[in-house]
């Protein structure tokens, strides 16, 4: 009587591992998309509901469309959630460094400074 190990060749082991890791990546991608979707404050509740329904009904197409349409916002939302947005003091220091290096003019410095201070 043949054992299961003898029926399961090296190629089949590789394919099984490949499918497992693709499934794991898919689940991770769904978690990232849903967490970003519910983290975004620039979408209304109805928009979020339509995205959720679209991702549930057409999962691969829904996630792909979300990444194309809203992918640029995902990094911003992740930074806001992690609290890694630069502080006002850091932004002013960066602007002062750019001005001292001659990268920006005095007028550009004042404009950017006013924007950083929110005035």
């Amino acid at each position: 009587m043949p054992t299961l190990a003898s029926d399961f060749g090296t190629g089949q082991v590789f394919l099984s591992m490949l499918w497992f890791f693709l499934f794991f990546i898919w689940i991770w991608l769904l978690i990232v998309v849903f967490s970003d979707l519910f983290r975004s404050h620039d979408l209304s509740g109805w928009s979020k509901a339509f995205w959720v329904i679209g991702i549930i009904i057409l999962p691969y197409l829904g996630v792909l469309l979300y990444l194309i349409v809203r992918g640029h916002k995902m990094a911003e939302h992740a930074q806001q959630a992690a609290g890694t947005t630069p502080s006002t003091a850091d932004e002013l220091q960066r602007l002062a460094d750019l001005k001292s290096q001659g990268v920006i003019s005095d007028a550009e410095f004042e404009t950017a400074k006013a924007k950083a201070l929110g005035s």
Side-chain angles (χ1 to χ4, degrees), residues 22-70:
L22 287 175
F23 179 72
F24 181 78
I25 290 169
W26 173 248
I27 297 297
W28 174 77
L29 194 57
L30 281 175
I31 291 169
V32 168
V33 166
F34 277 120
S35 66
D36 181 71
L37 181 62
F38 290 110
R39 185 184 304 146
S40 57
H41 298 289
D42 57 336
L43 285 177
S44 68
W46 287 106
S47 299
K48 291 177 185 181
F50 286 128
W51 274 113
V52 168
I53 290 169
I55 291 172
I56 290 173
I57 292 174
L58 298 168
Y60 295 107
L61 183 62
V63 168
L64 182 64
L65 284 175
Y66 187 84
L67 292 175
I68 292 170
V69 174
R70 306 258 322 148

Side-chain angles (χ1 to χ4, degrees), residues 1-118:
M1 178 170 195
T3 62
L4 182 62
S6 64
D7 293 340
F8 212 65
T10 307
Q12 291 172 331
V13 170
F14 174 74
L15 285 177
S16 296
M17 288 176 58
L18 179 68
W19 282 116
F20 171 77
F21 287 117
L22 287 175
F23 179 72
F24 181 78
I25 290 169
W26 173 248
I27 297 297
W28 174 77
L29 194 57
L30 281 175
I31 291 169
V32 168
V33 166
F34 277 120
S35 66
D36 181 71
L37 181 62
F38 290 110
R39 185 184 304 146
S40 57
H41 298 289
D42 57 336
L43 285 177
S44 68
W46 287 106
S47 299
K48 291 177 185 181
F50 286 128
W51 274 113
V52 168
I53 290 169
I55 291 172
I56 290 173
I57 292 174
L58 298 168
Y60 295 107
L61 183 62
V63 168
L64 182 64
L65 284 175
Y66 187 84
L67 292 175
I68 292 170
V69 174
R70 306 258 322 148
H72 63 282
K73 291 281 192 181
M74 291 179 78
E76 294 174 18
H77 295 150
Q79 286 178 348
Q80 289 173 354
T84 58
T85 54
S87 68
T88 305
D90 292 337
E91 184 67 19
L92 291 176
Q93 180 61 43
R94 186 184 67 83
L95 289 171
D97 290 342
L98 289 174
K99 181 182 170 191
S100 67
Q101 294 170 0
V103 176
I104 60 174
S105 67
D106 290 338
E108 291 171 326
F109 174 76
E110 292 301 325
T111 304
K113 179 180 164 186
K115 183 178 176 184
L117 293 174

